[in-house]
């Protein structure tokens, strides 16, 4: 069993749709990261969460510590949002990565 | 520097040779992380430095892998007696402190022939 589970694995959306990606973890964490990996391979950190909710532009990330669950939402999705989204849970001195959600937004 | 710098960007080596990968973190960042991503696979955590110290080396895949960080800045990841399964993109990231936003380098593509 993976310490971090993401769903869905693949997601295709029409431009403008509201998107939700889910991340559940089984370990106690000090923080959780949401990362975006572009088709060219570069990785960008979107959010670092330890509690509550964060918003940046069209992106919103939430975390529920009690339920060990985090969500990444994209409002008014755009083709440039097409990428792989990865959650990573940090516990102690270890990172545990989800397998990623591949998002394709169609114009 | 402006961002996390990794060198070389590409490395092709023969099986059994040693390789050294370098990471220059953002100036002032105390936390430094090494990861790898095999072709078509997810990210795998290797090791974390806080300052010059790596509290937990259990993420390193085998004793052929070692890492060090000096002066709280540059880090090197050394792979001895490389094997074909070591072929991957090796990524470095830094943050101002543990549990802060990560800044990633563009990686070193290692190919072991």
């Amino acid at each position: 069993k993976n310490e971090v589970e993401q769903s869905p694995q693949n997601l295709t959306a029409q431009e403008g749709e509201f998107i939700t990606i889910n991340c559940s973890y089984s370990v106690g964490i000090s923080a959780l990261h949401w990362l975006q990996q572009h088709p060219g391979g570069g990785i960008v950190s979107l959010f670092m969460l330890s509690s509550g909710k964060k918003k940046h532009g069209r992106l919103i990330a939430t975390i529920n510590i009690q339920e060990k669950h985090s969500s990444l939402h994209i409002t008014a999705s755009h083709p440039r949002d097409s990428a792989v989204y990865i959650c990573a849970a940090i516990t102690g001195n270890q990172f545990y990565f989800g397998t990623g959600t591949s998002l394709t937004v169609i114009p | 520097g402006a961002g996390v710098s990794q060198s070389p960007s590409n490395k092709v080596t023969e099986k059994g040779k040693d390789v050294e990968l370098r990471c220059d973190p953002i100036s002032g960042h105390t936390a430094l992380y090494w990861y790898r991503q095999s072709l078509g696979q997810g990210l795998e955590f290797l090791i974390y430095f806080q300052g010059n110290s790596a509290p937990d080396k259990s993420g390193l895949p085998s004793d052929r892998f070692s890492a060090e960080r000096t002066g709280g800045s540059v880090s090197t990841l050394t792979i001895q007696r490389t094997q074909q399964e070591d072929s991957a993109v090796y990524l470095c990231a830094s943050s101002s402190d543990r549990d802060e936003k990560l800044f990633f380098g563009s990686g070193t593509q290692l190919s072991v022939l």
Side-chain angles (χ1 to χ4, degrees):
Chain A
K1 183 184 184 302
N2 292 332
E3 288 82 1
V4 178
E5 300 279 356
Q6 268 186 254
S7 63
Q9 279 192 313
N10 295 282
L11 181 57
T12 300
Q14 289 291 131
E15 183 173 358
E17 285 187 7
F18 180 85
I19 289 163
T20 296
I21 299 170
N22 296 298
C23 177
S24 296
Y25 52 91
S26 58
V27 293
I29 68 167
S30 57
L32 183 138
H33 291 267
W34 280 102
L35 309 174
Q36 180 191 54
Q37 185 166 31
H38 295 285
I43 298 176
V44 174
S45 174
L46 299 175
F47 295 103
M48 192 282 296
L49 292 162
S50 54
S51 64
K53 174 180 174 179
K54 288 189 177 179
K55 184 177 189 290
H56 186 263
R58 296 180 294 105
L59 301 178
I60 303 166
T62 63
I63 190 167
N64 185 317
I65 299 295
Q66 286 73 30
E67 294 186 3
K68 295 188 174 179
H69 182 268
S70 177
S71 293
L72 177 68
H73 306 285
I74 305 175
T75 61
S77 59
H78 190 276
R80 65 176 174 266
D81 297 326
S82 298
V84 176
Y85 293 83
I86 303 163
C87 69
I90 298 96
T91 177
N93 300 306
Q94 293 285 337
F95 269 69
Y96 297 98
F97 290 98
T99 52
T101 295
S102 179
L103 171 65
T104 302
V105 181
I106 300 170
Chain B
V4 178
S5 178
Q6 290 188 247
S7 61
S9 55
N10 284 283
K11 177 71 176 179
V12 180
T13 190
E14 293 179 350
K15 178 181 172 181
K17 300 283 189 185
D18 297 352
V19 295
E20 189 172 279
L21 312 179
R22 177 186 170 107
C23 173
D24 278 277
I26 291 173
S27 178
H29 279 194
T30 60
L32 185 146
Y33 309 83
W34 283 99
Y35 312 96
R36 73 176 176 181
Q37 188 170 35
S38 302
L39 186 63
Q41 302 297 311
L43 286 163
E44 177 185 2
F45 169 73
L46 299 179
I47 194 167
Y48 151 69
F49 285 91
Q50 182 62 39
N52 292 332
S53 174
D56 184 348
K57 300 181 180 180
S58 63
L60 295 174
S62 77
D63 59 7
R64 296 184 295 103
F65 287 72
S66 63
E68 66 174 14
R69 189 179 184 195
T70 55
S73 181
V74 172
S75 177
T76 54
L77 178 69
T78 302
I79 309 173
Q80 295 179 309
R81 305 180 303 281
T82 52
Q83 303 294 313
Q84 287 183 332
E85 63 262 27
D86 300 333
S87 296
V89 176
Y90 287 81
L91 291 155
C92 176
S94 70
S95 60
S96 57
D97 203 347
R98 204 186 94 154
D99 295 347
E100 296 295 332
K101 182 175 178 177
L102 296 168
F103 295 83
F104 283 82
S106 53
T108 293
Q109 172 76 62
L110 175 66
S111 301
V112 181
L113 304 180

